[in-house]
Amino acid sequence: MALAKITSVTGRAVPVVGNDIDTDRIIPARFMKCVTFDGLGEFLFNDVRKDPKTGAITDHPLNQARYQGATILLSGANFGCGSSREHAPQAIQKYGFKAVIAESYAEIFFGNSTTLGMPCVTAAREDIAKIAAAVDANPQAEVTIDLVKLEVRFAEQTVKITQRESARDALVNGRWDAIGELLDGIPAVKETARKLPYLATA
Amino acid sequence: MPSPQSLFEKVWTAHTVKKLANGQTQLLIGTHLIHEVTSPQAFGMLRDLGLPVLMPHRTFATVDHIIPTNELVEPYKDSLAQAMMDEVRKNCAQFGITFFDRATGKQGIVHIVGPEQGITQPGTTIACGDSHTSTHGAFGAIAFGIGTSQVRDVLATQTMALGPLKVRRIEVNGRLRPGVYAKDVILHIIRQLGVNGGTGYAYEYAGSTFDGFTMEERMTVCNMSIEGGARVGYVNPDETTFAYLKGRPYSPTGPAWDAAVARWKSFASDPGAKYDDVVKIDAASIAPTVTWGINPGQGISIVENIPSPETATSADDKAGIIEALAYMKLPAGAPIKGTKIDVAFLGSCTNGRLSDFREVAKYLKGRKVAAGVKAIAVPGSQIVALQCEKEGIDKILSAAGFEWRAAGCSMCLAMNPDKLVGEQLCASSSNRNFKGRQGSPTGRTILMSPVMVAAAAVTGTVADAREVFTVN
């Protein structure tokens, strides 16, 4: 299984501001009654994109004409907190996003996103504000996340980003989905299991 | 002599298969629990890749999220729910996985079924496609909530790729005051440390308060570790743990039992183990706690007032308060006590166990749910339900005006027909008060202990159970 080496992501960005944006907000549980991930993109941020009372389209950034086609999501601290549902990063990816820039991430969401080959990079709040201001001024502005140089370039500016080294390594070297490597380890898995009585005797 | 280690380090080392190229660890997952929402796609991936399940006897399935609690006969009215039910059944049959279906009498919320069956054991690694998997840490297991791609990984290889966690020891010492429960302890901890304070950490809960806790109390606390950002939470195994496990269906028996207990003891953190952080809390400082906002860290004691933007400690805090109050439609600075409620929900993987219902029944006997309040009680498993029925708890709750339901996750996340309607406000014994969590995009949740839910149900308002039920 050859995976793409994800060394950079370039595209337009859309700011979805706020801290602690949880997985129920990203994809409400009632849309998880499904046995595949297909079609989840349509319901991304559903309950803030549609007025719950009238069903009318709100002015949420994802609804704004100027941000259509954006592939980089900007947000705040503790993005993706709450449930372990992979439906959340799946919905973001299936909507068309290729990467997220936020101040920080909830642990499980971060891991799930990396496994899908969707980089989640971390930037300082003031730097995210700079990117947001640039795309607000010109939504067509091209934003590049460079995972090799660990920087974001946009509108003739550059800001520093960070990413956990294990995730960055996996993305840039095309091993973000670990299944191949895990399968290779099966003989060693069996060996480890033999040393654990609760697995050896079962 | 090896240097003293924490339980986390010992379990991690014992289950390490190898180092992966990116520096993560291939970690053996001894026990895998699955449910209907996050597993079907994983089986789909296995089929796409043409892979078998490596150790089918180490995966256990049940249904909990979508299952209706007032409809026992299939096909369910909701065809999507039925389709998910059928999918689990098909996958378990095809891959040879034990399935605790309703017909077995052992179905229930996955985090209640595992301990009840004795599948959850000390010194083991456990994973489940559900963030509340941390519950199993109450037994001294290292238990991870995982995404669906990792469910696939565990099915195919009985392992997953993971980086190590830091360990924060949270010591709670002393006696809880009357009317204060394990739920209040964890709501208090999250309030103190924040909803992302635990990111990157495993929480080791310790101290005399935890030593004195029952297994069910320990489970309530470990369950909500993730609400504090910690992926893993655990309590070191002790005699309480072993007594709970003795005689369970999957517990070792005979000479194997004694060997297992000796091994389990060896996994407990050593005296002198090093921690990345230590937090100490005085049990007596914890009051009955309720949330007022839209995340579990936005909590106050029942006698405090709802925060106002003016009292914010930072610009972030201020923005958080404004957003939460606007959503919750609560008046800044007013007492939380007296807030009118519409719905009372007893249940969930946090507080849907026998001891929760016993405690509530003690106080609801001879009481009535206030007019206009919809009250439902949902046992966490069929076994919990049966025991409650044997003890007459169902009758006490029904007489009080609670609907006594069948086992499932129910209104904790409202994937079944149990949902809030419009802006209804729910006094809930569950674990999340996120916007829209309980099934209505504008529905509102106040988290609290089961006894506090009972007090809210009978008064029709957020109330201090200590006053309502004269607890002292």
Side-chain angles (χ1 to χ4, degrees), chain A residues 180-198:
Chain A
E181 228 184 321
L182 296 178
L183 286 166
D184 290 344
I186 283 180
V189 172
K190 290 181 173 167
E191 195 50 45
T192 308
R194 267 194 287 275
K195 290 183 221 150
L196 294 162
Y198 78 106

Side-chain angles (χ1 to χ4, degrees), chain A residues 33 53 86 125 177 181 198, chain B residues 15 21 78 149 152 316:
Chain A
K33 269 195 232 165
K53 283 175 197 140
E86 190 171 304
R125 174 173 302 192
D177 184 342
E181 228 184 321
Y198 78 106
Chain B
H15 290 79
D78 179 350
S149 295
R152 172 206 61 186
D316 263 8

